[in-house]
Amino acid sequence: MRFVTKRIHAFLDYPVAIALIVLPFLLGLGNSNPLALQLSIATGIAAFILTLLTDHHLGVFRVVSYKIHLIVDFMVAIVFIITPFVFSFEGIDAFYYWINGAVVLSVVSMHNPQTVV
């Protein structure tokens, strides 16, 4: 089931970046470790910048190839999955990162390889 196209991915990028910045405050992240709040905000800002720089129809500057963008997304997913273990996140802090990591990993794995070019 590889149905996520370059176009679909582009439409997901900006809302996801904004969610990574806003959701930590709404969910009250940081109770088990302040880094849980800070990491999501930093990742959201970086994701927003990456989207602005990505070579797809919603990219503004288009200097980062779409393939590199997917590799970065994959690496972020892996980091999000292991971060709760490394920094002893508990409760909502841990679940937030595990769920986000799993979702990003799923989206990247459902990519239609013909749209990566």
Side-chain angles (χ1 to χ4, degrees), residues 1-10 12 66 70 106-116:
M1 285 188 29
R2 294 184 171 230
F3 61 89
V4 177
T5 64
K6 188 175 182 179
R7 185 173 187 83
I8 291 170
H9 190 111
L12 294 172
Y66 184 63
L70 289 176
S106 297
V107 169
V108 170
S109 70
M110 288 187 271
H111 249 282
N112 184 336
Q114 295 153 345
T115 67
V116 175

Side-chain angles (χ1 to χ4, degrees), residues 1 6 16 19 24 29 47 49 62 64 90 94 102-103:
M1 285 188 29
K6 188 175 182 179
V16 167
L29 294 189
I49 293 168
R62 300 180 184 187
V64 175
E90 297 175 353
V103 168

Side-chain angles (χ1 to χ4, degrees), residues 20-21 24 29 35-45 80 96-97:
L20 287 169
I21 296 167
L29 294 189
L35 187 59
L37 174 75
Q38 299 160 357
L39 179 62
S40 183
I41 295 167
T43 304
I45 293 168
F80 270 26
Y96 175 83
Y97 282 93

Side-chain angles (χ1 to χ4, degrees), residues 62-73:
R62 300 180 184 187
V63 294
V64 175
S65 75
Y66 184 63
K67 186 174 184 173
I68 296 297
H69 180 111
L70 289 176
I71 291 168
V72 170
D73 282 353

Side-chain angles (χ1 to χ4, degrees), residues 46-103:
F48 194 86
I49 293 168
L50 178 63
T51 301
L52 288 172
L53 297 175
T54 298
D55 184 18
H56 57 44
H57 73 285
L58 293 179
V60 177
F61 301 104
R62 300 180 184 187
V63 294
V64 175
S65 75
Y66 184 63
K67 186 174 184 173
I68 296 297
H69 180 111
L70 289 176
I71 291 168
V72 170
D73 282 353
F74 176 79
M75 291 187 311
V76 167
I78 298 304
V79 168
F80 270 26
I81 290 168
I82 64 172
T83 293
F85 299 108
V86 174
F87 294 107
S88 302
F89 291 176
E90 297 175 353
I92 188 72
D93 292 350
F95 287 112
Y96 175 83
Y97 282 93
W98 289 328
I99 291 168
N100 273 304
V103 168

Side-chain angles (χ1 to χ4, degrees), residues 7-36:
R7 185 173 187 83
I8 291 170
H9 190 111
F11 280 115
L12 294 172
D13 277 341
Y14 287 109
V16 167
I18 292 167
L20 287 169
I21 296 167
V22 173
L23 278 177
F25 295 104
L26 297 177
L27 296 173
L29 294 189
N31 287 329
S32 65
N33 186 331
L35 187 59

